Amino acid sequence: MSLLHQRWPGLDLGHVALGTAPSPVRRLDGLIDDIDLWIKDESRYGDGAWAGNKVRKLEWIIPEAARRGTNTLVTVGGIGTHWGLACALYGREHGLSTVLGLVDQPVDDHVRQQLARLEASGAQIHRYAGVRQLRRAAPWLIASNIRRGRLPWYLPAGGSNPVGSLGYVETALEISAQVRAGDLPEPATVVTAIGSGGTAAGLALGLKLAGLSTRVFGAVVNDSFPLDAPVIARLATRTASLLSARGATDLPSVGAADLVTADDWLGTTYGDPTPASTGMVERAARLGLALEPVYTGKALAAIADRARELPGPVLWLNTHGPR
């Protein structure tokens, strides 16, 4: 049973376990000096062909799709999207077809490998030169995938809607349980990359719900749409409204002051590896951590740059999950 259902047994939301909880936590020594750094290794989360933070979102999205009576998910991302691949693979296992609208991004070996995985996933793929072209095509993608009168469900990039964000409300409650169990000290700061906002929004809501004073710090890695603290707080508020509508009570409010976001580590555009992020990937590899330079490398670069400013202990989410 999910932690949210344990808290509210009558919660009218479906949940399907796609990974084994809790994902492990441990102190991370030897990577960044001058900081008490811990890792919550979401790269271990997922029992299928893909792991990582996107699996958490799909645990709530897949049963909600069944509730809505749809058998097709339409979603978007870059040509190296981890979200799109997780959606295609886990959706297929649960009888859902996935339609992907993909936009070009800077290409490196990781993106090439990821695009090959996407092409082999069984998803219906449509590629576009940029976000503007994708936005114009989105209504056609939806209309052309109506099956026997059943509308597809459109999911934003990263699965970052109120349903998907529940995955990280759940994860925040998991962090709280690990603190109570003595697996880690209560973090002063949780650091994550922000590519679409759902992970940070769910954490911000869930940490307050758990009664922790932990603050979210998000390294923004996407310049396709606004992802500042007020935007993330609004998504957290919409997630709380969904919980309330489905039977949850005594929910906290989340405002922009409950988290910090910064885009100092973005680079020139989404998907652009920077020297700092590439360097962090290489340093992490020497400790046995397989990362990538677009999300996890940039989040670590943010920690390294702000090591003397971030309140500690710091808990970093390793969200990268290839198999």
Side-chain angles (χ1 to χ4, degrees), residues 156-173:
S160 290
N161 61 9
V163 179
S165 297
L166 293 173
Y168 274 85
V169 179
E170 177 83 3
T171 305
L173 297 181

Side-chain angles (χ1 to χ4, degrees), residues 34-295:
D34 301 322
I35 196 165
D36 184 11
L37 180 60
W38 293 69
I39 177 176
K40 185 163 177 65
D41 199 352
E42 293 288 271
S43 73
R44 307 272 190 93
Y45 196 85
D47 293 336
W50 194 258
N53 66 326
K54 311 307 183 187
V55 180
R56 296 273 195 178
K57 299 176 179 182
L58 288 164
E59 291 190 323
W60 301 88
I61 286 171
I62 286 171
E64 181 66 15
R67 178 191 180 106
R68 292 169 178 240
T70 188
N71 57 8
T72 304
L73 305 176
V74 175
T75 192
V76 297
I79 57 173
T81 173
H82 289 196
W83 154 247
L85 183 59
C87 192
L89 295 175
Y90 284 94
R92 185 177 64 195
E93 290 178 3
H94 291 81
L96 295 169
S97 299
T98 298
V99 179
L100 299 176
L102 304 181
V103 296
D104 290 341
Q105 66 180 81
V107 175
D108 58 12
D109 288 343
H110 174 72
V111 172
R112 291 187 190 93
Q113 293 167 5
Q114 192 68 0
L115 182 56
R117 293 185 184 108
L118 287 163
E119 290 170 341
S121 70
Q124 181 189 137
I125 294 175
H126 303 267
R127 288 184 61 174
Y128 302 92
V131 173
R132 183 178 301 176
Q133 292 88 338
L134 174 57
R135 285 175 179 160
R136 285 201 296 262
W140 175 82
L141 287 176
I142 294 169
S144 63
N145 283 282
I146 298 172
R147 299 288 184 265
R148 297 180 180 177
R150 289 196 282 182
L151 286 171
W153 184 15
Y154 174 78
L155 300 168
S160 290
N161 61 9
V163 179
S165 297
L166 293 173
Y168 274 85
V169 179
E170 177 83 3
T171 305
L173 297 181
E174 187 176 295
I175 292 169
S176 176
Q178 290 173 308
V179 169
R180 294 195 305 272
D183 296 331
L184 78 158
E186 180 175 341
T189 310
V190 171
V191 177
T192 184
I194 296 182
S196 56
T199 297
L203 285 172
L205 175 59
L207 292 167
K208 291 194 77 171
L209 182 62
L212 298 181
S213 58
T214 309
R215 200 176 191 195
V216 176
F217 182 94
V220 177
V221 301
N222 193 346
D223 57 348
S224 299
F225 42 84
L227 287 168
D228 56 15
V231 168
I232 305 301
R234 285 196 291 273
L235 178 54
T237 298
R238 290 164 52 211
T239 304
S241 296
L242 171 66
L243 282 167
S244 179
R246 300 290 182 90
T249 57
D250 299 322
L251 290 157
S253 61
V254 175
D258 292 314
L259 63 154
V260 175
T261 66
D263 63 1
D264 304 42
W265 306 274
L266 170 67
T268 59
T269 187
Y270 171 73
D272 177 30
T274 65
S277 68
T278 301
M280 291 309 303
V281 170
E282 292 171 352
R283 289 179 63 181
R286 292 195 285 270
L287 297 178
L289 290 172
L291 308 182
E292 43 68 47
V294 174
Y295 286 80

